[in-house]
Amino acid sequence: MTDMYDEPKTSGVSLLAYPHSERGSERGRAKDPVGYLLSAEQRARERQVAYETVRLLRQDVIDCYRKEGVNHYDNCKQVTETYYKLVVKQDVGQVQPDWADKSKNEGF
């Protein structure tokens, strides 16, 4: 609660995307095992970024509700809408690779 009025903290970290590599055949063996593992790690990082984004937006909503009190319906509407729009997205806004088979999704 002591950092409620501090400036928001932002990170300058940017992750480099690996080219996406899918499993090659029905048996599950990848054509490029190293590329497949790198793309799996990238998807895991993207999933963690999505989770942390939701957590930070949820904290913003909580802080706004506490700060505004009874006026939170009017004053926190934009913060709450931003949080809601992200939460209702598929995979909470996680960046997905371009799958060759669109019906396949190794997300959630």
Side-chain angles (χ1 to χ4, degrees):
M1 186 94 173
T2 58
D3 63 348
M4 188 163 108
Y5 298 104
D6 292 346
E7 289 295 320
K9 298 174 184 153
T10 58
S11 173
V13 176
S14 63
L15 298 174
L16 299 175
Y18 292 103
H20 175 63
S21 177
E22 292 187 29
R23 293 187 181 139
S25 65
E26 299 83 29
R27 297 176 63 189
R29 189 170 183 97
K31 293 178 185 174
D32 178 19
V34 174
Y36 177 75
L37 289 176
L38 289 176
S39 65
E41 289 176 359
Q42 181 68 25
R43 285 194 309 273
R45 284 191 288 267
E46 293 291 344
R47 185 178 307 123
Q48 190 63 31
V49 167
Y51 285 161
E52 290 299 316
T53 304
V54 169
R55 187 183 66 80
L56 290 173
L57 286 175
R58 183 181 302 129
Q59 188 62 42
D60 289 345
V61 170
I62 290 169
D63 290 344
C64 185
Y65 277 23
R66 288 179 181 166
K67 186 168 94 174
E68 298 300 332
V70 296
N71 298 324
H72 72 273
Y73 290 112
D74 296 328
N75 299 340
C76 299
K77 186 174 184 179
Q78 183 179 7
V79 177
T80 307
E81 284 179 357
T82 305
Y83 173 68
Y84 177 75
K85 287 178 183 176
L86 185 68
V87 169
V88 297
K89 283 184 182 177
Q90 179 184 5
D91 299 336
V92 291
Q94 176 185 347
V95 177
Q96 292 288 338
D98 188 22
W99 300 97
D101 182 10
K102 297 297 182 190
S103 64
K104 178 178 172 183
N105 185 0
E106 292 185 7
F108 307 113

